[in-house]
């Protein structure tokens, strides 16, 4: 029953979830001061899959511009690379989902 009384706070700087301690209200990872107003606020931390997908899309658009204005050969290679990177993000997403399910089962 003690576990339900724990106050969990999420660091807005690095995203670490930790128990709130009023005697030492600092993040264990980055040292940011944590106020009581942050209690029970869970912000969405961008996942790796979203970051990889966004990067792949931006790189693809850059390679489209390179294709149009500079070199069709290098841009074609870059576009193939970014499509493979985008496809890889789906596998990364599955791996993250499996890790989250294991955490929920262990709790």
């Amino acid at each position: 029953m003690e576990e339900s009384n724990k106050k969990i706070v999420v660091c807005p700087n690095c995203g670490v979830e930790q128990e709130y301690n009023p005697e030492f209200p600092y993040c264990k990872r980055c040292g940011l001061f944590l106020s009581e107003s942050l209690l029970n606020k869970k912000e969405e931390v961008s996942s790796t899959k979203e970051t990889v997908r966004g990067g792949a899309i931006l790189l693809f658009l850059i390679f489209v511009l390179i294709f149009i204005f500079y070199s069709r050969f290098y841009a074609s290679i870059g576009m193939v690379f970014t499509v493979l990177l985008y496809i890889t993000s789906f596998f990364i997403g599955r791996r993250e989902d499996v890790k989250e399910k294991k955490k929920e089962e262990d709790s």
Side-chain angles (χ1 to χ4, degrees):
M1 291 198 175
E2 292 178 12
E3 292 180 20
S4 62
N5 295 333
K6 291 182 179 179
K7 297 178 183 177
I8 302 297
V9 64
V10 178
C11 177
N13 187 32
C14 63
V16 171
E17 292 183 13
Q18 63 186 25
E19 183 179 350
Y20 181 72
N21 183 2
E23 296 172 3
F24 186 76
Y26 298 99
C27 178
K28 293 177 182 176
R29 182 186 289 172
C30 67
L32 182 73
F33 178 75
L34 302 172
S35 63
E36 288 188 37
S37 64
L38 296 172
L39 289 174
N40 298 326
K41 280 189 179 178
K42 292 200 173 188
E43 296 181 11
E44 287 289 324
V45 178
S46 65
S47 65
T48 307
K49 68 178 178 181
E50 293 170 353
T51 306
V52 171
R53 284 183 190 165
I57 291 169
L58 287 175
L59 279 173
F60 187 82
L61 294 175
I62 290 170
F63 282 119
V64 167
L65 291 175
I66 291 173
F67 182 85
I68 293 170
F69 294 111
Y70 184 66
S71 171
R72 293 180 184 205
F73 176 73
Y74 293 122
S76 299
I77 292 172
M79 285 184 211
V80 170
F81 171 73
T82 56
V83 167
L84 292 175
L85 188 63
Y86 187 80
I87 292 170
T88 305
S89 70
F90 288 101
F91 296 112
I92 292 171
R94 285 185 188 164
R95 188 179 67 205
E96 287 180 352
D97 292 340
V98 169
K99 286 182 181 179
E100 287 179 13
K101 286 181 183 177
K102 283 185 180 179
K103 282 183 182 179
E104 290 175 2
E105 290 175 1
D106 291 341
S107 301

